[in-house]
């Protein structure tokens, strides 16, 4: 494995709560809103669009956290402080 590539599983092992919250929280919230829309007769396009946006947000936030994780790991490897 290369040292300059951070994987999702490494990040999840190092920061399980933050990773789960950022990666799965928006997806679960979007799914809950989709079910809520179904129960309350909200048009599926509106609830579905919200769910798609939440999944996209989860992907972007997870990518951001992977970049931060990689940066922190590289800073520690080369002896820089985490400030």
């Amino acid at each position: 494995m290369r040292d300059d590539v951070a994987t999702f599983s490494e990040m999840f092992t190092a920061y399980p709560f933050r990773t789960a919250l950022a990666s799965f929280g928006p997806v679960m919230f979007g799914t809950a809103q989709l079910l809520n829309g179904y129960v309350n007769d909200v048009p599926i396009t509106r609830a579905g669009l919200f769910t798609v946006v939440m999944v996209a947000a989860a992907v972007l936030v997870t990518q951001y956290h992977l970049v931060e994780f990689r940066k922190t790991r590289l800073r520690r490897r080369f002896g820089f402080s985490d400030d």
Side-chain angles (χ1 to χ4, degrees):
M1 182 181 300
R2 293 177 22 188
D3 287 338
D4 61 342
V5 177
T7 64
F8 181 82
S9 61
E10 291 172 337
M11 184 175 68
F12 189 79
T13 302
Y15 304 108
F17 182 74
R18 181 177 77 175
T19 304
L21 187 63
S23 301
F24 305 121
V27 174
M28 292 180 354
F29 184 63
T31 303
Q33 286 298 96
L34 191 64
L35 292 173
N36 184 37
Y38 175 75
V39 169
N40 293 307
D41 294 326
V42 174
I44 192 71
T45 53
R46 183 174 292 170
L49 182 61
F50 180 80
T51 303
V52 167
V53 168
M54 292 307 291
V55 169
V59 168
L60 292 174
V61 169
T62 301
Q63 288 176 345
Y64 172 77
H65 281 289
L66 272 170
V67 168
E68 286 293 319
F69 178 70
R70 178 178 178 253
K71 184 178 84 170
T72 301
R73 195 170 64 180
L74 286 173
R75 289 179 65 85
R76 286 182 187 152
R77 179 177 172 203
F78 291 111
F80 294 103
S81 65
D82 287 334
D83 296 339

Coordinates of all heavy atoms in Angstrom, one line a residue:
M1 N 0.8 -1.2 0.0 CA 0.0 0.0 0.0 C 0.9 1.2 0.0 O 1.9 1.3 0.7 CB -0.9 0.0 1.2 CG -1.8 1.2 1.3 SD -2.9 1.3 2.7 CE -3.8 -0.2 2.5
R2 N 0.5 2.2 -0.8 CA 1.2 3.5 -0.8 C 0.9 4.3 0.4 O -0.2 4.3 0.9 CB 0.9 4.2 -2.1 CG 1.3 3.5 -3.3 CD 0.9 4.2 -4.6 NE 0.6 5.6 -4.4 CZ 0.1 6.3 -5.4 NH1 -0.2 5.8 -6.5 NH2 -0.1 7.6 -5.2
D3 N 2.0 5.0 0.9 CA 1.8 5.9 2.1 C 1.0 7.2 1.8 O 0.5 7.8 2.7 CB 3.2 6.2 2.6 CG 3.8 5.1 3.3 OD1 3.1 4.1 3.7 OD2 5.0 5.1 3.5
D4 N 1.0 7.6 0.5 CA 0.3 8.8 0.2 C -1.1 8.7 -0.2 O -1.8 9.7 -0.5 CB 1.1 9.6 -0.9 CG 1.1 8.8 -2.2 OD1 0.8 7.5 -2.2 OD2 1.4 9.4 -3.3
V5 N -1.7 7.5 -0.1 CA -3.1 7.3 -0.4 C -3.8 6.9 0.9 O -3.5 6.0 1.6 CB -3.3 6.2 -1.4 CG1 -4.7 5.9 -1.7 CG2 -2.5 6.6 -2.7
A6 N -4.9 7.7 1.2 CA -5.7 7.4 2.4 C -7.0 6.6 1.9 O -7.6 7.0 0.9 CB -6.1 8.6 3.1
T7 N -7.3 5.6 2.6 CA -8.5 4.8 2.2 C -9.6 5.1 3.2 O -9.4 5.6 4.4 CB -8.3 3.3 2.2 OG1 -7.9 2.9 3.5 CG2 -7.2 3.0 1.2
F8 N -10.8 4.9 2.8 CA -12.0 5.1 3.7 C -11.9 4.2 4.9 O -12.2 4.6 6.0 CB -13.3 4.8 2.9 CG -14.5 5.0 3.7 CD1 -15.0 6.2 3.9 CD2 -15.1 3.9 4.3 CE1 -16.2 6.4 4.6 CE2 -16.3 4.1 5.1 CZ -16.8 5.3 5.2
S9 N -11.4 3.0 4.8 CA -11.4 2.1 5.9 C -10.3 2.5 6.9 O -10.5 2.4 8.1 CB -11.1 0.6 5.5 OG -9.8 0.6 4.8
E10 N -9.2 3.1 6.5 CA -8.2 3.6 7.4 C -8.8 4.8 8.2 O -8.5 4.9 9.4 CB -6.9 4.0 6.6 CG -6.1 2.9 6.1 CD -5.0 3.4 5.2 OE1 -5.1 4.5 4.6 OE2 -4.1 2.6 5.0
M11 N -9.5 5.7 7.4 CA -10.1 6.8 8.1 C -11.1 6.4 9.1 O -11.2 6.9 10.2 CB -10.7 7.8 7.1 CG -11.2 9.0 7.7 SD -11.8 10.2 6.5 CE -13.2 9.4 5.8
F12 N -11.9 5.4 8.7 CA -13.0 4.9 9.6 C -12.4 4.3 10.8 O -12.9 4.4 11.9 CB -13.9 3.9 8.9 CG -15.1 3.5 9.7 CD1 -16.2 4.3 9.7 CD2 -15.1 2.3 10.3 CE1 -17.3 4.0 10.4 CE2 -16.3 2.0 11.1 CZ -17.3 2.8 11.1
T13 N -11.2 3.6 10.7 CA -10.6 3.0 11.8 C -10.0 4.0 12.8 O -10.1 3.9 14.0 CB -9.4 2.1 11.4 OG1 -10.0 1.1 10.5 CG2 -8.7 1.4 12.5
A14 N -9.5 5.1 12.2 CA -8.9 6.2 13.0 C -10.0 7.1 13.7 O -9.8 7.5 14.8 CB -8.0 7.0 12.2
Y15 N -11.0 7.4 12.9 CA -12.1 8.3 13.4 C -13.4 7.7 13.1 O -14.1 8.2 12.2 CB -11.9 9.7 12.7 CG -10.6 10.3 12.9 CD1 -9.7 10.4 11.8 CD2 -10.2 10.9 14.1 CE1 -8.5 11.0 12.0 CE2 -9.0 11.5 14.3 CZ -8.1 11.6 13.2 OH -6.9 12.1 13.3
P16 N -13.9 6.7 13.8 CA -15.1 6.0 13.5 C -16.4 6.9 13.6 O -17.2 6.9 12.7 CB -15.2 4.8 14.4 CG -14.3 5.2 15.5 CD -13.2 6.1 15.0
F17 N -16.5 7.7 14.7 CA -17.7 8.5 14.8 C -17.8 9.6 13.8 O -18.8 9.8 13.2 CB -17.7 9.1 16.3 CG -18.9 9.9 16.5 CD1 -20.2 9.3 16.7 CD2 -18.9 11.3 16.5 CE1 -21.3 10.0 17.0 CE2 -20.1 12.0 16.8 CZ -21.3 11.4 17.0
R18 N -16.7 10.3 13.6 CA -16.7 11.4 12.6 C -17.0 10.9 11.2 O -17.8 11.5 10.4 CB -15.4 12.2 12.7 CG -15.3 13.3 11.7 CD -14.0 14.1 11.8 NE -13.0 13.3 11.1 CZ -11.7 13.8 11.0 NH1 -11.4 15.0 11.5 NH2 -10.8 13.1 10.3
T19 N -16.4 9.8 10.9 CA -16.5 9.2 9.5 C -18.0 8.7 9.3 O -18.6 9.0 8.3 CB -15.5 8.1 9.3 OG1 -14.2 8.5 9.5 CG2 -15.7 7.5 7.9
A20 N -18.5 8.0 10.3 CA -19.9 7.5 10.2 C -20.9 8.7 10.1 O -21.8 8.7 9.3 CB -20.2 6.6 11.4
L21 N -20.7 9.7 10.9 CA -21.6 10.9 10.9 C -21.5 11.6 9.6 O -22.6 11.9 9.0 CB -21.2 11.8 12.1 CG -22.1 13.0 12.3 CD1 -23.5 12.5 12.7 CD2 -21.6 13.9 13.4
A22 N -20.4 11.8 9.1 CA -20.2 12.5 7.8 C -20.6 11.7 6.6 O -21.2 12.3 5.6 CB -18.8 13.0 7.6
S23 N -20.4 10.4 6.6 CA -20.7 9.6 5.5 C -22.1 9.0 5.4 O -22.7 8.9 4.4 CB -19.6 8.5 5.4 OG -18.4 9.0 5.3
F24 N -22.6 8.6 6.6 CA -23.8 7.9 6.6 C -25.0 8.7 7.1 O -26.1 8.4 6.9 CB -23.7 6.6 7.4 CG -22.6 5.7 6.9 CD1 -21.6 5.3 7.8 CD2 -22.6 5.2 5.6 CE1 -20.6 4.5 7.3 CE2 -21.6 4.4 5.2 CZ -20.5 4.0 6.0
G25 N -24.7 9.8 7.9 CA -25.7 10.6 8.4 C -26.6 11.3 7.4 O -27.8 11.2 7.5
P26 N -26.0 12.0 6.4 CA -26.8 12.6 5.4 C -27.6 11.6 4.6 O -28.8 11.9 4.2 CB -25.8 13.3 4.5 CG -24.7 13.5 5.3 CD -24.6 12.4 6.3
V27 N -27.1 10.4 4.3 CA -27.8 9.4 3.6 C -29.0 8.9 4.4 O -30.1 8.7 3.9 CB -26.9 8.2 3.2 CG1 -27.7 7.1 2.6 CG2 -25.8 8.7 2.3
M28 N -28.8 8.7 5.7 CA -29.9 8.2 6.5 C -31.0 9.3 6.7 O -32.2 9.0 6.6 CB -29.4 7.8 7.9 CG -28.5 6.6 7.8 SD -27.8 5.9 9.4 CE -28.2 7.0 10.6
F29 N -30.5 10.6 6.8 CA -31.5 11.7 6.8 C -32.3 11.8 5.6 O -33.5 12.0 5.6 CB -30.7 13.0 7.1 CG -31.6 14.2 7.3 CD1 -32.5 14.2 8.4 CD2 -31.5 15.2 6.4 CE1 -33.3 15.3 8.5 CE2 -32.3 16.4 6.6 CZ -33.2 16.4 7.7
G30 N -31.6 11.7 4.4 CA -32.3 11.7 3.1 C -33.3 10.6 3.0 O -34.4 10.8 2.5
T31 N -32.9 9.4 3.4 CA -33.8 8.3 3.4 C -35.0 8.5 4.3 O -36.2 8.2 3.9 CB -33.1 7.0 3.8 OG1 -32.0 6.8 2.9 CG2 -34.0 5.8 3.7
A32 N -34.8 9.0 5.5 CA -35.9 9.3 6.4 C -36.9 10.3 5.8 O -38.1 10.2 5.9 CB -35.3 9.8 7.7
Q33 N -36.3 11.3 5.1 CA -37.2 12.3 4.5 C -38.0 11.7 3.3 O -39.1 12.1 3.1 CB -36.3 13.5 4.0 CG -35.9 14.4 5.1 CD -37.0 15.0 5.9 OE1 -37.5 14.5 6.9 NE2 -37.6 16.1 5.3
L34 N -37.3 10.8 2.6 CA -38.0 10.1 1.5 C -39.2 9.3 2.1 O -40.3 9.4 1.5 CB -37.1 9.2 0.8 CG -37.5 8.6 -0.5 CD1 -37.8 9.7 -1.5 CD2 -36.5 7.6 -1.0
L35 N -39.0 8.6 3.2 CA -40.1 7.8 3.8 C -41.1 8.8 4.4 O -42.3 8.5 4.3 CB -39.5 6.9 4.9 CG -38.7 5.8 4.4 CD1 -38.0 5.0 5.6 CD2 -39.5 4.8 3.6
N36 N -40.7 9.9 5.0 CA -41.6 10.9 5.5 C -42.5 11.5 4.4 O -43.7 11.7 4.6 CB -40.9 12.0 6.2 CG -41.8 13.0 6.9 OD1 -42.8 12.6 7.4 ND2 -41.3 14.2 6.9
G37 N -41.9 11.7 3.3 CA -42.6 12.2 2.1 C -43.6 11.2 1.6 O -44.8 11.6 1.2
Y38 N -43.3 10.0 1.6 CA -44.2 8.9 1.2 C -45.4 8.8 2.1 O -46.5 8.8 1.7 CB -43.5 7.6 1.1 CG -44.4 6.4 0.8 CD1 -44.8 6.3 -0.5 CD2 -44.8 5.5 1.7 CE1 -45.7 5.2 -0.9 CE2 -45.6 4.5 1.4 CZ -46.1 4.3 0.1 OH -46.9 3.3 -0.2
V39 N -45.1 8.9 3.4 CA -46.2 8.7 4.4 C -47.1 9.9 4.4 O -48.3 9.8 4.5 CB -45.6 8.6 5.8 CG1 -46.6 8.7 6.9 CG2 -44.9 7.2 6.0
N40 N -46.6 11.1 4.1 CA -47.4 12.4 4.1 C -47.8 12.8 2.7 O -48.2 14.0 2.6 CB -46.6 13.5 4.9 CG -46.5 13.1 6.3 OD1 -47.5 12.9 7.0 ND2 -45.2 13.2 6.8
D41 N -47.7 12.0 1.7 CA -48.2 12.3 0.4 C -47.5 13.5 -0.3 O -48.1 14.3 -1.0 CB -49.7 12.4 0.3 CG -50.4 11.2 0.6 OD1 -49.9 10.1 0.3 OD2 -51.5 11.2 1.3
V42 N -46.2 13.6 0.0 CA -45.4 14.6 -0.7 C -45.0 14.1 -2.0 O -44.7 12.9 -2.1 CB -44.1 15.0 0.2 CG1 -43.2 15.9 -0.5 CG2 -44.5 15.6 1.5
P43 N -45.0 14.9 -3.1 CA -44.6 14.4 -4.4 C -43.2 13.7 -4.3 O -42.3 14.2 -3.7 CB -44.6 15.6 -5.3 CG -45.5 16.6 -4.6 CD -45.3 16.3 -3.1
I44 N -43.1 12.5 -5.0 CA -41.9 11.8 -4.9 C -40.7 12.5 -5.5 O -39.5 12.3 -5.1 CB -42.1 10.4 -5.6 CG1 -40.9 9.4 -5.3 CG2 -42.2 10.5 -7.1 CD1 -40.8 9.0 -3.9
T45 N -41.0 13.4 -6.5 CA -39.9 14.2 -7.1 C -39.2 15.1 -6.1 O -38.0 15.3 -6.1 CB -40.4 15.0 -8.3 OG1 -41.5 15.8 -7.9 CG2 -40.8 14.1 -9.4
R46 N -40.0 15.7 -5.3 CA -39.5 16.7 -4.3 C -38.7 15.9 -3.2 O -37.6 16.3 -2.9 CB -40.6 17.4 -3.6 CG -40.1 18.5 -2.6 CD -41.2 19.3 -2.1 NE -41.7 20.1 -3.2 CZ -42.8 20.9 -3.1 NH1 -43.5 20.9 -2.0 NH2 -43.2 21.6 -4.1
A47 N -39.2 14.8 -2.7 CA -38.5 14.1 -1.7 C -37.3 13.3 -2.3 O -36.3 13.3 -1.6 CB -39.5 13.0 -1.0
G48 N -37.5 12.9 -3.5 CA -36.4 12.2 -4.2 C -35.2 13.1 -4.5 O -34.0 12.8 -4.3
L49 N -35.5 14.3 -4.9 CA -34.5 15.3 -5.2 C -33.7 15.7 -3.9 O -32.5 15.8 -3.9 CB -35.1 16.6 -5.8 CG -34.1 17.7 -6.1 CD1 -33.1 17.2 -7.2 CD2 -34.9 18.9 -6.7
F50 N -34.5 15.8 -2.8 CA -33.8 16.1 -1.5 C -32.9 14.9 -1.1 O -31.7 15.2 -0.7 CB -34.8 16.3 -0.4 CG -34.2 16.6 0.9 CD1 -33.8 17.8 1.3 CD2 -34.1 15.5 1.9 CE1 -33.2 18.1 2.5 CE2 -33.5 15.8 3.1 CZ -33.1 17.1 3.4
T51 N -33.3 13.7 -1.4 CA -32.5 12.5 -1.0 C -31.2 12.5 -1.9 O -30.1 12.2 -1.4 CB -33.3 11.2 -1.2 OG1 -34.4 11.3 -0.4 CG2 -32.4 10.0 -0.9
V52 N -31.4 12.8 -3.2 CA -30.2 12.9 -4.1 C -29.2 13.9 -3.6 O -28.0 13.7 -3.6 CB -30.7 13.1 -5.5 CG1 -29.5 13.5 -6.5 CG2 -31.4 11.9 -6.1
V53 N -29.7 15.1 -3.2 CA -28.8 16.2 -2.8 C -28.1 15.7 -1.5 O -26.9 16.0 -1.3 CB -29.6 17.5 -2.5 CG1 -28.8 18.5 -1.8 CG2 -30.1 18.0 -3.9
M54 N -28.8 15.0 -0.6 CA -28.1 14.6 0.6 C -27.1 13.5 0.4 O -26.0 13.5 1.0 CB -29.2 14.1 1.6 CG -30.1 15.1 2.2 SD -29.3 16.5 2.9 CE -28.6 15.8 4.3
V55 N -27.3 12.6 -0.6 CA -26.3 11.7 -1.0 C -25.1 12.3 -1.6 O -23.9 12.0 -1.3 CB -26.9 10.6 -1.9 CG1 -25.8 9.7 -2.5 CG2 -27.9 9.7 -1.2
A56 N -25.3 13.3 -2.4 CA -24.2 14.1 -3.0 C -23.4 14.8 -1.9 O -22.2 14.9 -2.0 CB -24.7 15.1 -4.0
A57 N -24.1 15.4 -0.9 CA -23.5 16.0 0.2 C -22.6 15.1 1.0 O -21.5 15.4 1.4 CB -24.5 16.7 1.1
A58 N -23.1 13.9 1.2 CA -22.4 12.8 1.9 C -21.1 12.5 1.2 O -20.0 12.3 1.8 CB -23.2 11.6 2.1
V59 N -21.2 12.4 -0.2 CA -20.0 12.0 -1.0 C -19.0 13.2 -0.9 O -17.8 12.9 -0.6 CB -20.4 11.8 -2.4 CG1 -19.2 11.7 -3.3 CG2 -21.2 10.5 -2.5
L60 N -19.4 14.4 -1.0 CA -18.5 15.5 -1.0 C -17.8 15.7 0.4 O -16.6 15.9 0.5 CB -19.2 16.8 -1.4 CG -19.6 16.9 -2.8 CD1 -20.4 18.1 -3.1 CD2 -18.4 16.8 -3.7
V61 N -18.6 15.5 1.5 CA -18.1 15.7 2.8 C -17.1 14.5 3.1 O -16.0 14.7 3.7 CB -19.2 15.7 3.9 CG1 -18.7 15.6 5.3 CG2 -20.0 17.0 3.7
T62 N -17.4 13.3 2.7 CA -16.5 12.2 2.9 C -15.2 12.4 2.1 O -14.1 12.2 2.7 CB -17.1 10.9 2.4 OG1 -18.3 10.7 3.1 CG2 -16.2 9.7 2.6
Q63 N -15.3 12.9 0.9 CA -14.0 13.2 0.2 C -13.2 14.3 0.9 O -12.0 14.2 1.0 CB -14.4 13.7 -1.2 CG -14.8 12.6 -2.1 CD -15.2 13.1 -3.5 OE1 -15.4 14.3 -3.7 NE2 -15.4 12.2 -4.4
Y64 N -13.9 15.3 1.4 CA -13.2 16.4 2.2 C -12.5 15.8 3.4 O -11.3 16.1 3.7 CB -14.2 17.4 2.6 CG -13.5 18.5 3.5 CD1 -12.7 19.4 3.1 CD2 -13.8 18.4 4.9 CE1 -12.1 20.3 3.9 CE2 -13.2 19.3 5.8 CZ -12.4 20.3 5.3 OH -11.8 21.2 6.1
H65 N -13.2 14.9 4.1 CA -12.6 14.3 5.3 C -11.4 13.4 4.9 O -10.4 13.3 5.7 CB -13.6 13.6 6.1 CG -14.4 14.5 7.0 ND1 -14.0 15.1 8.1 CD2 -15.7 14.8 6.9 CE1 -14.9 15.8 8.6 NE2 -16.0 15.7 7.9
L66 N -11.5 12.7 3.8 CA -10.3 11.9 3.3 C -9.1 12.8 3.0 O -8.0 12.4 3.4 CB -10.7 11.1 2.1 CG -11.4 9.7 2.3 CD1 -11.9 9.2 1.0 CD2 -10.4 8.8 3.0
V67 N -9.3 13.9 2.4 CA -8.2 14.8 2.2 C -7.6 15.3 3.5 O -6.4 15.4 3.6 CB -8.7 16.0 1.3 CG1 -7.7 17.1 1.2 CG2 -9.0 15.5 -0.1
E68 N -8.5 15.7 4.4 CA -8.0 16.2 5.7 C -7.2 15.0 6.5 O -6.2 15.3 7.1 CB -9.1 16.7 6.6 CG -9.7 18.0 6.2 CD -8.7 19.1 6.4 OE1 -8.0 19.1 7.4 OE2 -8.5 20.0 5.5
F69 N -7.7 13.8 6.4 CA -7.1 12.7 7.0 C -5.7 12.4 6.4 O -4.7 12.2 7.1 CB -7.9 11.4 6.9 CG -7.3 10.2 7.4 CD1 -7.2 10.0 8.8 CD2 -6.9 9.2 6.6 CE1 -6.6 8.9 9.3 CE2 -6.4 8.0 7.1 CZ -6.2 7.9 8.5
R70 N -5.6 12.5 5.1 CA -4.4 12.3 4.4 C -3.4 13.4 4.7 O -2.2 13.1 5.0 CB -4.6 12.3 2.9 CG -3.3 12.1 2.1 CD -3.5 12.1 0.6 NE -2.3 12.0 -0.1 CZ -1.7 13.0 -0.8 NH1 -2.3 14.1 -0.9 NH2 -0.6 12.8 -1.4
K71 N -3.8 14.6 4.8 CA -3.0 15.8 5.1 C -2.4 15.6 6.5 O -1.2 15.8 6.8 CB -3.7 17.1 5.0 CG -2.9 18.3 5.3 CD -3.7 19.6 5.1 CE -4.4 19.8 6.4 NZ -5.0 21.1 6.5
T72 N -3.3 15.2 7.5 CA -2.8 15.0 8.9 C -1.8 13.9 8.9 O -0.8 14.0 9.6 CB -4.0 14.7 9.8 OG1 -4.9 15.8 9.7 CG2 -3.6 14.5 11.2
R73 N -2.0 12.8 8.2 CA -1.1 11.7 8.3 C 0.2 12.1 7.6 O 1.3 11.7 8.2 CB -1.7 10.5 7.5 CG -1.0 9.2 7.8 CD -1.8 8.1 7.3 NE -1.8 8.1 5.8 CZ -2.4 7.3 5.0 NH1 -3.0 6.3 5.6 NH2 -2.4 7.4 3.7
L74 N 0.2 12.8 6.6 CA 1.5 13.3 5.9 C 2.2 14.2 6.8 O 3.5 14.2 6.9 CB 1.2 13.9 4.6 CG 0.9 12.9 3.5 CD1 0.5 13.7 2.2 CD2 2.0 12.0 3.2
R75 N 1.5 15.1 7.5 CA 2.2 16.1 8.4 C 2.8 15.4 9.6 O 3.9 15.7 10.0 CB 1.1 17.1 8.9 CG 0.7 18.1 7.9 CD -0.3 19.1 8.4 NE 0.2 20.0 9.4 CZ 0.9 21.1 9.2 NH1 1.1 21.5 7.9 NH2 1.3 21.8 10.1
R76 N 2.2 14.4 10.1 CA 2.8 13.6 11.2 C 4.0 12.8 10.7 O 5.0 12.7 11.4 CB 1.8 12.6 11.8 CG 0.7 13.2 12.6 CD -0.2 12.2 13.2 NE -1.3 12.9 13.9 CZ -2.5 12.4 14.1 NH1 -2.7 11.2 13.6 NH2 -3.4 13.0 14.7
R77 N 3.9 12.3 9.5 CA 5.0 11.5 8.9 C 6.2 12.3 8.7 O 7.4 11.8 8.9 CB 4.5 10.9 7.6 CG 5.6 10.1 6.9 CD 5.0 9.5 5.6 NE 6.1 8.9 4.8 CZ 6.0 8.7 3.5 NH1 5.0 9.1 2.9 NH2 7.0 8.1 2.9
F78 N 6.1 13.6 8.3 CA 7.2 14.4 8.1 C 7.6 15.3 9.3 O 8.4 16.2 9.2 CB 7.0 15.3 6.8 CG 7.0 14.4 5.6 CD1 5.9 14.2 4.8 CD2 8.2 13.8 5.1 CE1 5.9 13.4 3.7 CE2 8.2 13.1 4.0 CZ 7.1 12.9 3.3
G79 N 6.9 15.1 10.4 CA 7.3 15.8 11.6 C 6.8 17.2 11.8 O 7.3 17.9 12.7
F80 N 5.7 17.6 11.1 CA 5.1 18.9 11.4 C 4.1 18.8 12.4 O 3.5 17.7 12.7 CB 4.5 19.4 10.1 CG 5.5 19.7 9.0 CD1 5.7 18.8 7.9 CD2 6.3 20.8 9.1 CE1 6.6 19.1 6.9 CE2 7.2 21.1 8.1 CZ 7.3 20.2 7.0
S81 N 3.8 19.9 13.1 CA 2.8 19.9 14.1 C 1.4 19.8 13.5 O 1.2 20.1 12.3 CB 2.9 21.1 15.0 OG 2.6 22.3 14.2
D82 N 0.4 19.5 14.2 CA -1.0 19.4 13.7 C -1.8 20.7 13.9 O -3.0 20.7 13.8 CB -1.8 18.3 14.5 CG -1.3 16.9 14.0 OD1 -0.8 16.8 12.9 OD2 -1.4 16.0 14.8
D83 N -1.1 21.8 14.1 CA -1.8 23.1 14.2 C -2.5 23.5 13.0 O -2.1 23.4 11.9 CB -0.8 24.2 14.7 CG -0.3 23.8 16.1 OD1 -0.9 23.0 16.8 OD2 0.8 24.4 16.4

